[in-house]
Amino acid sequence: MTAASANAGWHAVPRRKLIPARWRNPIGLVGAAIVSLCILTAVLGRFIWTNDPNDPISNRLEAPSWAHPFGTDDLGRDTLARIIHGSQVSLEVGLVAISIALVVGTLIGLLAGYFGGFLDLALMRIIDILFAFPGLVLAIVIAGLLGASRRNAMLAIGVIIIPAFARVVRAAVLEVMGFPFIESARALGGGHLRIMLRHVLPNVIAPLIVLTTLYFSTAILTEAALSFLGLGTQPPEAAWGNMLQTARSYIDQSIWMSIFPGLAIMVVVLGFNFLGDGLRDVLDPRVGGGVGDVATKK
Amino acid sequence: MPRFLLNRLISMFATVFAVSIVVFLMVRFLPGNVVDVQFGGDATATPGARLEAAKRLGLDGSYAHQYWVWISRIFHGDLGKSLLTQRSIAEIFGSALPVTIELIVLGLAIAVSVAIPLGVISAVRRNSASDYASRVGGLIGLSIPNFWLATLLLIFFSRVFHWVPPLQYVSLFKHPWENLQEFFMPAVAISVFTLAIVMRMVRATMLEVLNLDYVRTARAKGVPRWRVLRKHALRNALIPVVTVVGFEVGVLIGGAAIVEIIFGLPGVGFTLLNAISNRDYPVIQNATLLIATVFVVANTLVDLIYGWLDPRISVT
């Protein structure tokens, strides 16, 4: 037997075990389906539904019809086209904000957990202070002081998610550090950087995947809230949050403007929550709780 | 216990102190010079006028000096004045804080009183239809944006019952009935996320506790099922739930800020957002500190309650 086939056999065992477990998880599958649908909508939606999201092409405040399945808004713009544009906005915000939290949070957690001692103490104090602010309030203040725009909102959302990533990574690193293979790697003369990247980091990937999925929903919800408050994506560009804000003035005339953007937020966030829950069952049963409270588990 | 108490209090004050420094630096480091904004880009402002404005805002001298002036004034009960309305900030907070606290307490009360029975039922009838329904319902609760829920409630009640809550804020103590009508929808809207979190937590801990030996022993010696649930299982299952509640206060504060805007309730979040849109820096700075302090104090209280409920952890 060659080394390669021996390796393949070694990998096949856990995988064969994983697949049925995944299929036995209907919630995770539904989540994966919703998330895929959302990504498809964001990428391909504007080619399939070709109405311009900013073009007043119809009467104002129309109810849903074949021409405009989600109705039209206060300026006669097609709501479906605006929701499709909103899906691009939401995914972009989720991706950028999560990337910020992922890079900074993982770095902080890795350094704190790996080196321990004073560095750990100092970094974790900073994280504690970030945790002393209610997340949304901190996002509102940062986005508000930086100036209302989507870029600043993404930054603010990234900042409020950093502490959760830092804590979870640190806890996972501390666990890994106790294993003998870290000591062997060191005994073999591995440098800090090499041990961190080759031996520690791969072992914290599982909780990171779960966390990324769950906090994607937090990021989308927070962006919607900020846009709703006028601190995120600025009109006339369509985002689900600012569409709901506009709709508030027309509640008495058309409820449809208030229904569909909110439904879009809920379905997408639900998809990420379902997927995160499913992934957690498969990958990392240790991260308990649910969205937002992952980090509070002590 | 006294040592535990003392440690928690010291760490609480340390956190509030650190938070105050962060808030102080945040307002100064982020773009836009406060004094410039004051003069609205007016180039004719003389250096003398600028210095005076800086002094009035507590923005003259070194950072250490500015920080000292800010904090020592707070301890004298002087939070400065709003740039926009010239009202004293202490007075603004005095009227805004009760609104927000009422909203949070109501939201928390709704969340906990619905979540605990649901979580228990879900755990006891594991994998039944009602368990599945409340688990999926819980995930929906985590996903529904509270400002959308608030709008839906408004639409529902106005279309179906032809009822809209009174729009002018009235105090709980002067007009309790009108006040509760006003707070009903916003409190429900912000409670849903917390309700879902607490329910999931109760379910998970109940499942754990129900499998423990002492529950089986109680059942075996003939204690009625209902009594085992309430006295033996639930009491212990609620202990970890308490920690979640502390964190949820922060979620509720954030939720309150949004629904206060929707329902025109003049709370702290409403004040903060107004201040942000008007670049009213003294109000932003103090409101942020106030909100963070409320959150830190709430978390400390939760920790103390936790230590009191579960004597095993008071060592830390």
Side-chain angles (χ1 to χ4, degrees):
Chain A
M1 208 196 313
T2 63
S5 70
N7 259 340
W10 170 248
H11 280 292
V13 177
R15 259 186 216 157
R16 223 181 295 140
K17 271 187 187 162
L18 267 179
I19 292 166
R22 234 181 238 151
W23 284 101
R24 264 185 265 120
N25 194 317
I27 286 187
L29 277 180
V30 172
I34 298 176
V35 169
S36 324
L37 189 72
C38 174
I39 294 171
L40 280 179
T41 310
V43 177
L44 300 175
R46 64 200 153 119
F47 301 114
I48 297 168
W49 189 254
T50 47
N51 284 342
D52 185 331
N54 282 318
D55 195 11
I57 47 171
S58 176
N59 293 326
R60 304 172 60 233
L61 304 171
E62 258 182 41
S65 63
W66 284 112
H68 306 286
F70 288 0
T72 59
D73 71 358
D74 54 314
L75 298 174
R77 296 174 294 196
D78 182 61
T79 302
L80 177 57
R82 292 180 72 71
I83 284 190
I84 290 172
H85 186 83
S87 69
Q88 297 167 20
V89 171
S90 284
L91 284 188
E92 184 200 333
V93 170
L95 276 176
V96 175
I98 291 288
S99 306
I100 294 173
L102 193 66
V103 171
V104 182
T106 306
L107 194 66
I108 293 178
L110 198 58
L111 291 175
Y114 185 86
F115 289 108
F118 177 75
L119 187 68
D120 182 24
L121 203 71
L123 287 175
M124 284 303 120
R125 280 286 129 343
I126 296 173
I127 294 298
D128 283 349
I129 293 165
L130 275 179
F131 254 129
F133 294 92
L136 183 60
V137 173
L138 188 60
I140 288 173
V141 174
I142 296 176
L145 287 176
L146 284 174
S149 75
R150 179 151 87 236
R151 201 196 58 184
N152 293 339
M154 293 192 290
L155 199 65
I157 297 167
V159 170
I160 67 166
I161 305 179
I162 288 174
F165 276 81
R167 278 197 183 173
V168 171
V169 171
R170 174 177 173 271
V173 169
L174 284 179
E175 210 182 313
V176 175
M177 294 300 285
F179 287 119
F181 66 81
I182 298 293
E183 218 180 310
S184 359
R186 197 166 291 157
L188 286 170
H192 288 312
L193 192 67
R194 189 186 157 81
I195 295 177
M196 266 197 270
L197 293 182
R198 294 288 294 269
H199 301 278
V200 179
L201 203 55
N203 283 293
V204 303
I205 296 277
L208 273 180
I209 291 174
V210 176
L211 216 58
T212 301
T213 320
L214 288 176
Y215 274 91
F216 222 99
S217 64
T218 309
I220 290 176
L221 270 180
T222 312
E223 193 274 338
L226 289 176
S227 291
F228 182 80
L229 295 171
L231 294 171
T233 308
Q234 296 297 305
E237 187 178 6
W240 295 338
N242 69 32
M243 289 170 76
L244 283 174
Q245 171 59 39
T246 317
R248 270 183 61 214
S249 320
Y250 300 93
I251 286 185
D252 296 330
Q253 294 147 54
S254 165
I255 59 167
W256 304 110
M257 272 179 77
S258 297
I259 300 278
F260 290 111
L263 212 55
I265 302 174
M266 195 185 82
V267 169
V268 172
V269 172
L270 197 67
F272 278 103
N273 280 340
F274 275 17
L275 182 62
D277 250 36
L279 284 175
R280 178 171 54 210
D281 289 347
V282 179
L283 290 174
D284 187 33
R286 283 164 311 164
V287 187
V291 195
D293 65 0
V294 182
T296 61
K297 293 278 273 187
K298 283 176 186 168
Chain B
M1 188 65 196
R3 200 171 145 205
F4 173 61
L5 189 80
L6 192 69
N7 278 342
R8 291 309 300 153
L9 287 179
I10 291 174
S11 110
M12 180 181 93
F13 282 113
T15 311
V16 173
F17 172 66
V19 161
S20 73
I21 292 177
V22 171
V23 172
F24 174 85
L25 293 178
M26 209 153 64
V27 173
R28 277 158 187 79
F29 278 170
L30 292 181
N33 183 318
V34 184
V35 178
D36 286 343
V37 175
Q38 273 306 285
F39 288 99
D42 182 1
T44 59
T46 61
R50 293 178 60 91
L51 191 66
E52 200 194 319
K55 205 167 220 157
R56 190 162 34 93
L57 292 168
L59 289 174
D60 59 323
S62 68
Y63 277 177
H65 173 74
Q66 290 178 24
Y67 180 78
W68 171 247
V69 169
W70 177 43
I71 293 298
S72 58
R73 277 187 191 163
I74 288 181
F75 278 106
H76 288 102
D78 174 16
L79 300 179
K81 278 185 179 146
S82 157
L83 297 179
L84 189 69
T85 59
Q86 296 301 321
R87 260 179 87 196
S88 129
I89 294 177
E91 204 183 295
I92 297 177
F93 287 171
S95 64
L97 206 51
V99 178
T100 303
I101 289 180
E102 187 185 346
L103 204 49
I104 292 168
V105 169
L106 280 177
L108 202 56
I110 295 172
V112 169
S113 56
V114 179
I116 291 177
L118 280 183
V120 171
I121 293 171
S122 205
V124 173
R125 304 201 181 137
R126 189 177 189 183
N127 292 332
S128 69
S130 51
D131 177 28
Y132 227 74
S134 45
R135 280 167 72 189
V136 172
L139 280 169
I140 292 177
L142 293 179
S143 314
I144 196 163
N146 50 29
F147 48 94
W148 186 51
L149 188 60
T151 317
L152 289 184
L153 285 171
L154 267 175
I155 292 176
F156 180 74
F157 277 93
S158 72
R159 295 271 161 131
V160 178
F161 297 112
H162 301 285
W163 178 76
V164 229
L167 284 174
Q168 189 65 41
Y169 167 72
V170 289
S171 142
L172 177 67
F173 301 105
K174 282 189 193 135
H175 306 277
W177 178 237
E178 282 83 355
N179 173 280
L180 287 178
Q181 285 185 356
E182 269 183 332
F183 276 75
F184 164 67
M185 279 194 232
V188 169
I190 61 169
S191 73
V192 169
F193 188 90
T194 304
L195 197 163
I197 297 264
V198 175
M199 192 203 80
R200 288 157 60 96
M201 191 82 189
V202 171
R203 179 179 179 276
T205 48
M206 271 303 268
L207 282 177
E208 230 166 79
V209 171
L210 284 175
N211 282 326
L212 293 182
D213 289 343
Y214 70 86
V215 170
R216 202 186 319 136
T217 310
R219 286 289 293 147
K221 75 177 187 189
V223 180
R225 201 181 151 83
W226 162 246
R227 209 179 136 80
V228 174
L229 274 186
R230 205 170 51 97
K231 285 259 172 178
H232 297 255
L234 183 60
R235 193 172 274 192
N236 285 290
L238 284 185
I239 293 174
V241 173
V242 173
T243 43
V244 187
V245 166
F247 181 77
E248 285 307 307
V249 170
V251 175
L252 288 167
I253 294 176
I258 298 189
V259 299
E260 279 169 13
I261 299 277
I262 298 179
F263 290 92
L265 299 174
V268 179
F270 186 89
T271 311
L272 175 67
L273 277 156
N274 262 334
I276 284 176
S277 54
N278 293 307
R279 301 255 140 198
D280 195 341
Y281 287 95
V283 177
I284 299 176
Q285 185 171 331
N286 288 302
T288 313
L289 180 64
L290 177 73
I291 292 171
T293 307
V294 169
F295 186 38
V296 172
V297 170
N299 265 315
T300 307
L301 280 177
V302 165
D303 270 7
L304 293 179
I305 294 172
Y306 193 59
W308 175 66
L309 284 175
D310 188 351
R312 280 170 302 180
I313 60 120
S314 43
V315 207
T316 47

